[in-house]
Amino acid sequence: MLSDDTAIVLFSGGQDSATCLAWALDRFAHVETLGFAYGQRHAIELECRDTLRDAMMRQNPQWRERLGPDHTLDLSVLGRISETALTREAAIEMNENGLPSTFVPGRNLLFLSFAATLGVRRNARHIVTGVCETDYSGYPDCRDDTIKALQVALNLGMETRFVLHTPLMWLDKAETWRLAERIGGDGLVALINRESHSCYMGDRAHLHDWGYGCGTCPACELRAKGWASYVSA
């Protein structure tokens, strides 16, 4: 039997996953994190994970009691078979099929499948992911219909009852900042702003008011736009 009090958060080290981690820590008695090394160009995001976890535990004593182990899985094979701008030195542009070149086919499907497999071993019924189809780059595996279909497939294929949570699905980036503020106040917002990483280019050299990044890739543009809307409200 899976535990109703245990959750696994897909935790990349970005703004969305950091917000989802706080969301889960506010709701579940035991929370573990899961990251993936898949040959991403912005692998520096993985280095942000420990800093974010440690700082969240310092900010909230209750979270310290709830936050369990971190897991990192090697999915480098995904990078080797993917011809995308996130796994190759390639231009970030729109492809002829209407999808951005940063789309890694099957990425979120694999991530959630591995999370469910880990969930069986860790006795976790709840899986939390920061996918969103409101303010995003157009990835089909971030859509609500995809996640609902995958939940059905995972539960049928594993003969269990996982619940896939998508707390950001209908939020734009400004609303995601506001959600972080509601959960953890200005301290959590400041932490995610400074320590999380979203930039596709892996740029941690240039600090903006919305955080580190190149400032020109789609991830930076979304984050900058959301921050500007958040602080002006």
Side-chain angles (χ1 to χ4, degrees):
M1 295 291 292
L2 299 179
S3 171
D4 278 326
D5 293 328
T6 301
I8 292 176
V9 178
L10 273 64
F11 185 51
S12 67
Q15 174 195 353
D16 293 343
S17 69
T19 305
C20 284
L21 176 55
W23 181 90
L25 287 168
D26 213 36
R27 284 162 175 75
F28 300 105
H30 183 78
V31 178
E32 301 186 11
T33 52
L34 174 60
F36 299 93
Y38 62 96
Q40 61 266 52
R41 288 173 68 176
H42 56 306
I44 194 170
E45 68 178 357
L46 297 174
E47 300 176 15
C48 299
R49 300 166 75 248
D50 285 343
T51 301
L52 285 163
R53 280 173 48 97
D54 290 345
M56 284 187 183
M57 286 191 291
R58 290 195 301 271
Q59 284 192 2
N60 190 318
Q62 186 179 59
W63 290 357
R64 177 182 294 277
E65 297 298 320
R66 294 180 175 185
L67 185 57
D70 177 55
H71 312 271
T72 302
L73 297 183
D74 180 3
L75 291 187
S76 53
V77 64
L78 178 60
R80 291 197 297 272
I81 65 174
S82 299
E83 293 286 346
T84 78
L86 281 195
T87 55
R88 296 285 191 278
E89 293 291 333
I92 297 178
E93 57 190 7
M94 292 300 295
N95 291 325
E96 293 181 358
N97 61 3
L99 294 174
S101 62
T102 51
F103 173 61
V104 183
R107 181 178 61 165
N108 285 322
L109 304 180
L110 286 171
F111 286 1
L112 288 164
S113 296
F114 274 98
T117 300
L118 179 64
V120 171
R121 181 165 69 87
R122 303 301 296 176
N123 197 36
R125 181 179 304 280
H126 303 278
I127 299 171
V128 184
T129 175
V131 297
C132 165
E133 68 167 274
T134 302
D135 203 357
Y136 75 134
S137 297
Y139 301 159
D141 59 358
C142 288
R143 297 180 303 200
D144 188 55
D145 285 348
T146 301
I147 303 303
K148 288 177 177 175
L150 185 58
Q151 177 174 288
V152 172
L154 290 172
N155 285 331
L156 287 173
M158 296 190 184
E159 195 64 35
T160 187
R161 287 294 178 265
F162 291 111
V163 181
L164 304 188
H165 297 271
T166 57
L168 310 184
M169 181 60 73
W170 307 116
L171 305 184
D172 61 25
K173 283 291 184 287
E175 291 169 328
T176 299
W177 286 115
R178 284 192 281 272
L179 175 60
E181 182 183 352
R182 289 197 298 272
I183 295 171
D186 292 341
L188 181 61
V189 171
L191 172 63
I192 295 174
N193 177 292
R194 183 59 60 93
E195 301 298 344
S196 69
H197 182 87
S198 302
C199 175
Y200 287 156
M201 307 308 293
D203 188 331
R204 297 291 291 178
H206 298 92
L207 179 61
H208 309 268
D209 57 353
W210 43 265
Y212 285 97
C214 68
T216 59
C217 74
C220 285
E221 290 176 349
L222 277 174
R223 182 159 167 160
K225 179 182 176 183
W227 179 260
S229 178
Y230 166 68
V231 297
S232 64

